Amino acid sequence: MNAPDQLTAEVIALFAKITALYSREYETASAHHGLTPQQVKVLLTLDEALPMRRIAERLGADPSNFTGMVDRLQSRGLVERVPDPTDRRIKRIAATEAGKAAAQDLRERLRFATDPLVALDGDQRRDLRDLLQLMVDSQRPGG
């Protein structure tokens, strides 16, 4: 395997820096609230009450591990389980008032993570999306 050319190496280094900025910001904001970054991501998805399975899918989490995370958030008073209005077998997860307040504070602390593309205009965002999608698509079988 050949070493990447200089431009490729620079792009790879920028991906690493972006990932580090994103991770560091989540870790700092999470620590402020005594939460894990994954717990923060759960809180930030709860603009409405959602079934646990849907939240886990959105976050790419294993549903079996997800129950424990919700239990810990519930024990802190940040979320509650509420019955689904159409199927009482399903429990939805909703942010409590304390959870909503924490989520609002977290959004303010996660400036880069919540809008890492703030410096780009609409055309630049679309171009970046298209280029990143091309990279992803090239890794699919037959791509």
Side-chain angles (χ1 to χ4, degrees):
M1 178 189 274
N2 294 333
D5 61 76
Q6 183 60 35
L7 181 57
T8 300
E10 290 174 20
V11 170
I12 291 168
L14 287 168
F15 277 137
K17 285 180 181 179
I18 289 167
T19 301
L21 281 168
Y22 184 87
S23 296
R24 186 171 41 250
E25 195 172 77
Y26 256 98
E27 289 168 8
T28 301
S30 301
H32 180 80
H33 287 273
L35 300 170
T36 67
Q38 194 69 8
Q39 288 171 323
V40 167
K41 290 174 185 176
V42 170
L43 275 179
L44 295 178
T45 64
L46 294 176
D47 292 330
E48 61 178 324
L50 295 170
M52 247 194 317
R53 180 171 298 284
R54 186 167 315 145
I55 299 167
E57 287 170 357
R58 282 187 185 178
L59 299 178
D62 181 343
S64 62
N65 295 333
F66 195 71
T67 301
M69 187 181 328
V70 171
D71 289 344
R72 289 185 289 283
L73 287 169
Q74 188 171 16
S75 73
R76 298 266 315 266
L78 299 172
V79 301
E80 61 186 347
R81 288 174 167 89
V82 296
D84 185 284
T86 60
D87 185 344
R88 62 185 204 165
R89 296 171 297 172
I90 297 173
K91 293 291 185 191
R92 291 179 175 249
I93 306 305
T96 62
E97 288 307 313
K100 290 175 186 176
Q104 180 58 39
D105 179 69
L106 288 160
R107 282 186 184 93
E108 291 169 10
R109 292 174 185 278
L110 295 169
R111 292 178 190 266
F112 178 78
T114 55
D115 193 2
L117 306 182
V118 69
L120 305 180
D121 66 28
D123 288 338
Q124 291 169 322
R125 288 174 185 228
R126 278 185 289 283
D127 289 345
L128 179 60
R129 180 209 52 209
D130 294 346
L131 291 168
L132 292 172
Q133 188 64 56
L134 181 62
M135 289 173 64
V136 169
D137 290 347
S138 74
Q139 296 307 305
R140 291 186 182 147

